[in-house]
Amino acid sequence: MTSPQIEIQLIAAVVAVACAIPGVFLVLRKMALISDAISHSILPGIVAGFFITQDLNSPLLILLAALTGVITVVLVEAIQKTGLVKEDTAIGLVFPALFSIGVILIAKNANDIHLDIDAVLLGELAFAPFDRLLISGMDVGPKSLWLMGGVLIITVVLLLLFFKELKISTFDVGLSSAMGISPVVMHYGLMSVSSITVVGAFDAVGAILVVALIIAPSATAYLLTSDLRRMLWLSIGFGVFSAIGGYWLAHILDASISGSMTTVLGIVFLLVYLFAPKKGLLSVLYRQKQQRTEVSLITFLLHLNNHSEETERHINHLTEHINWQTVRAKTVLELALKNNMITIANDIVSLTEKGTDFTNRALEYIITNKDDRIEHMKDDFFLFRG
Amino acid sequence: MERKLAVQVDDLTVAYNYKPVLWDIDLAVPEGVLMAIVGPNGAGKSTLIKAILGIIKPIAGSISIYGKPYDKQRKLVAYVPQKGSVDWDFPTTAVDVVMMGTYGSLGWIKRPGQKEKKAALEALEKVGMLSFKNRQISQLSGGQQQRVFLARALVQNASIYFMDEPFQGVDATTEIAIINILKELRKAGKTLVVVHHDLQTVPEYFDWVTFLNVKKIATGPVKEIFNDDNLTKTYGINYKVAINK
């Protein structure tokens, strides 16, 4: 690998981590779309900042543009508060308005400088290594790496300091507010960090793809875990993996780096959506099938429990009586036999002691929903795992 | 006999978009009562609690908790919001939710540690939920979720408890378990203010009651004021049949 290659991957990974962290909280607060709004409406802020600083990587430009992001949120909330339109409509009204101001500003004033609509939408990660940071004449690396590194450090420090506050104000606004942990302060804090991150990442991946870097890693992580900390770590992992994987995909395909990164994010999400152990599509389907069989098993055992007369317990009669297809009846019969819950003598089915006990306990569980007595059965039977 | 006042509300008016939902409420809650707030839907019961706790800003009036403004007395107060007000798909476990009850006394930045965890586990045991401590909260039944919320209020270790419909969507067993804990708290000298829907159980569960319908209709001991007259004034229909037979 050449040194620009390493630098590009490093920048991509840092951007991914910086986006994934606020992304987790935006997704949990059901505010994912706000990141889309911010990423577009910061454009006038960036253009105005560029006129003042003449440098896309200046921290002043970042702050100016991030301010536009926060203004977006304020405007969306103000429109929403009128009660005339809902939040999604308010978002849809605000960001195109601000974005179009930015587009006009670029077209009128910035024709001959390095700021065009293409770069705004898709970013220019491949050129990032050319813009070097010089400290008293010494080359210390690409400017955007230092910039995003700075943003990332701020984000991580804030996350570590205010993890507890972010958690409670996300989960329970009412209690958070009653405890004096102001949800409004946390909300605008998160919005400011998100805005700064988006502006910083904007130069690397553009206004559209930065949204994917914010939402996709946490949406993927959400399918895999029920622990906030682990969700953060997984999001960071998916972000970094997609950033570096995307770089090499672009290398192989000779295509846009940011486009390839987003494609990898999409593929990762799809794979997790299909194969996640608990919430994944395949696992859900498998569990439903298993549950169907187990409900059938209990129905069958219950029938045996309720009827002592032999005519009701004849093997052929059962398939007719409970009205099951032969295949299903056979599966259930085999399952019951395998677990020593029934015995068959002269084609007459009888419950064993274990079968009776199981039926009674299952009945009790279904009626009372009390868990403690069947806790040990959860490993064997999906039905009891809720 | 003068009892110490736990909560005092004076001339409280709350409005959403300039439409009053609570109008000029005066309310005094003596220390050590288990009080129900009853009233029809839209009467402002939840709003009253939220206004007392500073979650909603009133347009007029003042609130004091043991004689001082609420924001000076936060640590004396625990709150159980409506179960439906939070997203139970949030990635966290029962014990973690209970630990959130300690966040207020910890203050900003400081993290919960072993002491807080121990308190959370004790509270879970009190509400009979210890065996579910590591269960993801979306995997709990409605009654179990309500118990977790109650446990979270218990670790707040407060003097005054505000609860918004703690019996909503729970089965009979859980309802009895919850009311027993509330009665125990009252015995320990705590004050409890509970938004309640089931009028039938008011005399059995509570010793104090406030009738509310945008304005305060009446407040006082259940024995003295829980009668047809006040019920009719609050709900606008004759309640003789419903309660007396």
Side-chain angles (χ1 to χ4, degrees), chain B residues 15-71:
Chain B
Y16 291 128
N17 292 326
Y18 305 105
K19 185 178 170 286
V21 283
L22 283 177
W23 197 283
D24 200 34
I25 306 286
D26 290 309
L27 180 67
V29 184
E31 186 180 40
V33 299
L34 175 46
M35 182 177 95
I37 302 177
V38 297
N41 289 334
K45 304 184 293 287
S46 300
T47 308
L48 175 58
I49 287 189
K50 285 182 185 163
I52 293 172
L53 299 179
I55 300 170
I56 296 175
K57 258 204 150 54
I59 57 172
S62 66
I63 285 135
S64 71
I65 303 288
Y66 282 116
K68 287 184 194 155
Y70 173 72
D71 50 358

Side-chain angles (χ1 to χ4, degrees), chain A residues 298-317:
Chain A
I298 288 183
T299 315
F300 171 65
L301 294 176
L302 216 63
H303 181 77
L304 291 176
N305 204 19
N306 284 342
H307 295 280
S308 49
E309 58 274 35
E310 288 201 346
T311 49
E312 288 280 347
R313 292 190 283 122
H314 193 274
I315 208 158
N316 292 329
H317 174 77

Side-chain angles (χ1 to χ4, degrees), chain B residues 96-195:
Chain B
D96 205 38
V97 169
V98 177
M99 281 220 281
M100 288 182 192
T102 66
Y103 288 7
S105 58
L106 280 170
W108 287 82
I109 295 176
K110 234 182 119 195
R111 303 258 196 116
Q114 282 309 312
K115 193 176 129 225
E116 284 73 23
K117 176 119 189 217
K118 202 171 145 254
L121 292 175
E122 279 169 14
L124 273 173
E125 183 156 34
K126 252 185 219 154
V127 301
M129 288 287 294
L130 193 59
S131 53
F132 296 93
K133 62 177 194 281
N134 292 324
R135 187 74 66 88
Q136 211 274 314
I137 52 171
S138 66
Q139 306 289 318
L140 299 170
S141 72
Q144 291 168 338
Q145 291 173 344
Q146 200 71 67
R147 285 175 193 231
V148 168
F149 258 21
L150 182 61
R152 187 177 66 175
L154 292 178
V155 299
Q156 283 188 260
N157 202 10
S159 305
I160 310 173
Y161 291 78
F162 289 92
M163 304 188 174
D164 204 341
E165 301 200 24
F167 302 112
Q168 192 194 41
V170 306
D171 56 24
T173 331
T174 304
E175 180 155 336
I176 293 165
I178 293 177
I179 193 63
N180 284 339
I181 291 170
L182 300 195
K183 284 180 174 172
E184 237 171 69
L185 286 169
R186 179 188 49 191
K187 237 181 247 165
K190 315 282 188 185
T191 309
L192 298 105
V193 176
V194 181
V195 171

Side-chain angles (χ1 to χ4, degrees), chain A residues 3-4 38 45-46 100 116 118 127 155 170 179 192 206 248 257 259 270 273 276 294 308 315 321 341 386:
Chain A
S3 131
I38 292 175
I46 290 182
S100 56
D116 55 54
D118 265 7
F127 300 146
T155 307
T170 303
M179 281 177 165
S192 306
W248 288 105
I257 298 173
L270 183 69
Y273 169 70
E294 282 167 21
S308 49
I315 208 158
H321 206 93
M341 286 173 179

